[in-house]
Amino acid sequence: MRKCLDSILAQTFQDYECLLIDDGSKDGSPAICDEYAAKDDRFKAFHKPNGGLSDARNYGLAHAQGDYTIFFDPDDWVDENCLKDLFEKAQDTDADMVMCDLYYNDPYRQRYSKQEPKALDHYSVLKDVINDDVQGFTVIKLIRRSIYEQYNLQYPVGMYGCEDQYTICKLLKNDIRIAYLPKAYYHYMHYGNATQSRRYDETTYQQDVKIRDMFVELLEDTPYKQLAYEKKTFAIFSRAFHFGHHQYTSASFREQFKDFQLNLTANPLLMCILYKLSLMGYYQPAWKAYMFFYQLKQIYKKIRN
């Protein structure tokens, strides 16, 4: 968290406010928020009961005063020219939303991820976001604050996953002005042990189904309803494959997903084979094979580093 906050303090753009939303944290985060608020009056600490990511985002928006907003998450960090360059692009283009590229970081390497949309009209960007050609993360989008009020946008409390993507899709149903800056500033940190440790159970499955239904309902009056259904159906299956090894036997996995209509050909060949094996009743061996290759890849990255 300190690395994130220090990267904000180091911004070359100075005219900003930084709202630190303590969402009922039980670790040392509240004290760190207070520490930074005491050292710089642009930092303001807020302490509230735990309500989840969307509730924290909505709380921040309700207390924000700036013309533009962007969210940063505490595990990540940003390069020093992030706010300056995004704000200048917004001013030069009178954009309601400025998008940029990002970095994916793990303990061993950094990867540049281009986020250029195919076109800058709102419906084209909407399709790109639904299709995962462009990420829906709000951490790489500077958004005019009045747009949230104009279109009555709130982050979806009660949705656990895809909250940013859902809100961006809701925003992109409207004819807003969009600009793109072909640079990366945000470092999205990923830790490699998540595949083994992340919790998955029947509640997770039901939450994923709810997410799919919410996207389908949101996009009912757009040309992208079926695309959203297909993408989120695959997301349900993919998360179950990667994290459901304590929940499913090989037989129960096949029974759960045998009627899913899935297009697996867009995946890398190895994953395509493992997915198909899991649907044939070999989920547990397929998952173990996946973990074997995943761990080999982590070892390789560590050696190269």
Side-chain angles (χ1 to χ4, degrees), residues 23 48 50-59 71 73-74 138 155-157 159-164:
D23 190 41
K48 59 180 284 299
N50 179 257
L53 176 67
S54 287
D55 192 56
R57 295 230 194 290
N58 292 334
Y59 191 94
F71 293 98
D73 293 331
T138 51
Y155 287 80
V157 176
M159 175 184 274
Y160 298 98
C162 301
E163 300 97 329
D164 278 3

Side-chain angles (χ1 to χ4, degrees), residues 168-185:
I168 291 298
C169 285
K170 191 173 182 180
L171 174 59
L172 289 169
K173 289 177 66 177
N174 304 285
D175 188 13
I176 63 170
R177 291 183 295 276
I178 302 167
Y180 165 69
L181 188 61
K183 295 181 181 179
Y185 307 93

Side-chain angles (χ1 to χ4, degrees), residues 6-18 40-44 80-85 87-88:
D6 287 341
S7 74
I8 297 172
L9 278 173
Q11 291 297 301
T12 54
F13 183 84
Q14 297 290 306
D15 187 17
Y16 66 84
E17 60 173 357
C18 179
D40 192 310
D41 59 11
R42 293 172 301 179
F43 285 63
K44 300 177 176 64
E80 63 182 6
N81 289 323
C82 177
L83 296 182
K84 178 182 76 69
D85 289 355
F87 183 73
E88 286 179 355

